[in-house]
Amino acid sequence: MVVLNKIYTRTGDKGETALGDGSRRPKHDARVDAYGTVDETNATIGMARLHAEGDMDAALARIQNDLFDLGADLCRPDMAKDAESEYPPLRMAQEQVDRLEAEIDVMNKALEPLRSFILPGGSALAAHLHLTRTVSRRAERLATDLATQEDVNPVAVKYLNRLSDWCFVAARVANDGGKADVLWVPGANR
């Protein structure tokens, strides 16, 4: 269990932060950047939830929890030492990716196929979901870049990839099942 009695610690005042294994890294480190952007993704979902109800809100709440799992995964380097750890780190599981895929399939069944690209917008919920989609894509780019330098759980990267897809389809659902999607008109303003 996490206990936070004091919010500021002053341990980061010189530009470093602690990873989940206790090691310290600069705050601009690629690993810190990746899990920090996962946290940013989570915050954008919090904004989207202001406009969500029912099943959509419940799904977004589950995703927010998954993103904390993902941040915990990314903040623990050296996966080879997982088995030796006194406290085994939390790692993303394929079941979390599978759940997103199943939800995408259910949402997508009710939508008409796209015949144009969609401009981010429409309803307030759809606009926020499009923002989350783009931030999660940035988190994915940072995680894949990190994976070229250090160990990264490949399921974490898959999850980010599926999350952006999930947000795209959910934005269409939020736009009256795609009927209120804002379509791109190539060259419209020439």
Side-chain angles (χ1 to χ4, degrees), residues 95-144:
E95 293 79 12
Q96 291 167 295
V97 174
D98 294 344
R99 191 197 74 242
L100 285 180
E101 289 178 355
E103 291 176 359
I104 291 168
D105 291 344
V106 168
M107 289 188 291
N108 206 40
K109 273 186 185 173
L111 299 172
E112 291 293 320
L114 283 172
R115 308 234 185 277
S116 173
F117 287 107
I118 295 174
L119 301 180
S123 70
L125 176 56
H128 281 86
L129 289 168
H130 280 296
L131 178 60
T132 298
R133 174 183 57 79
T134 62
V135 176
S136 69
R137 282 281 189 217
R138 180 162 28 97
E140 179 188 9
R141 290 190 302 272
L142 292 168
T144 58

Side-chain angles (χ1 to χ4, degrees), residues 2-186:
V2 175
V3 177
L4 300 173
N5 291 327
K6 191 171 183 176
I7 300 305
Y8 65 89
T9 61
R10 296 187 177 118
T11 60
D13 289 354
K14 293 185 179 173
E16 288 189 341
T17 192
L19 297 182
D21 66 353
S23 63
R24 299 200 56 84
R25 300 271 182 102
K27 290 188 177 187
H28 60 271
D29 182 83
R31 185 167 294 277
V32 177
D33 205 11
Y35 71 73
T37 307
V38 168
D39 188 38
E40 186 180 350
T41 303
N42 206 335
T44 63
I45 290 175
M47 296 297 292
R49 289 187 67 197
L50 293 172
H51 306 283
E53 297 176 345
D55 290 344
M56 181 69 75
D57 186 52
L60 290 168
R62 284 191 305 274
I63 290 168
Q64 283 191 299
N65 199 80
D66 283 353
L67 289 174
F68 261 80
D69 291 354
L70 181 52
D73 187 330
L74 289 173
C75 85
R76 289 291 296 255
D78 203 358
M79 292 176 59
K81 292 185 179 180
D82 284 1
E84 304 167 13
S85 180
E86 181 180 351
Y87 302 102
L90 181 61
R91 298 290 182 198
M92 293 299 287
Q94 183 62 41
E95 293 79 12
Q96 291 167 295
V97 174
D98 294 344
R99 191 197 74 242
L100 285 180
E101 289 178 355
E103 291 176 359
I104 291 168
D105 291 344
V106 168
M107 289 188 291
N108 206 40
K109 273 186 185 173
L111 299 172
E112 291 293 320
L114 283 172
R115 308 234 185 277
S116 173
F117 287 107
I118 295 174
L119 301 180
S123 70
L125 176 56
H128 281 86
L129 289 168
H130 280 296
L131 178 60
T132 298
R133 174 183 57 79
T134 62
V135 176
S136 69
R137 282 281 189 217
R138 180 162 28 97
E140 179 188 9
R141 290 190 302 272
L142 292 168
T144 58
D145 182 50
L146 175 63
T148 67
Q149 305 165 45
E150 300 183 39
D151 276 349
V152 171
N153 178 358
V155 178
V157 175
K158 279 189 208 176
Y159 187 90
L160 287 167
N161 185 274
R162 292 313 177 284
L163 177 59
S164 58
D165 296 335
W166 189 99
C167 289
F168 179 80
V169 175
R172 293 199 66 213
V173 169
N175 273 340
D176 193 21
K179 294 179 189 95
D181 283 338
V182 181
L183 300 180
W184 172 48
V185 179

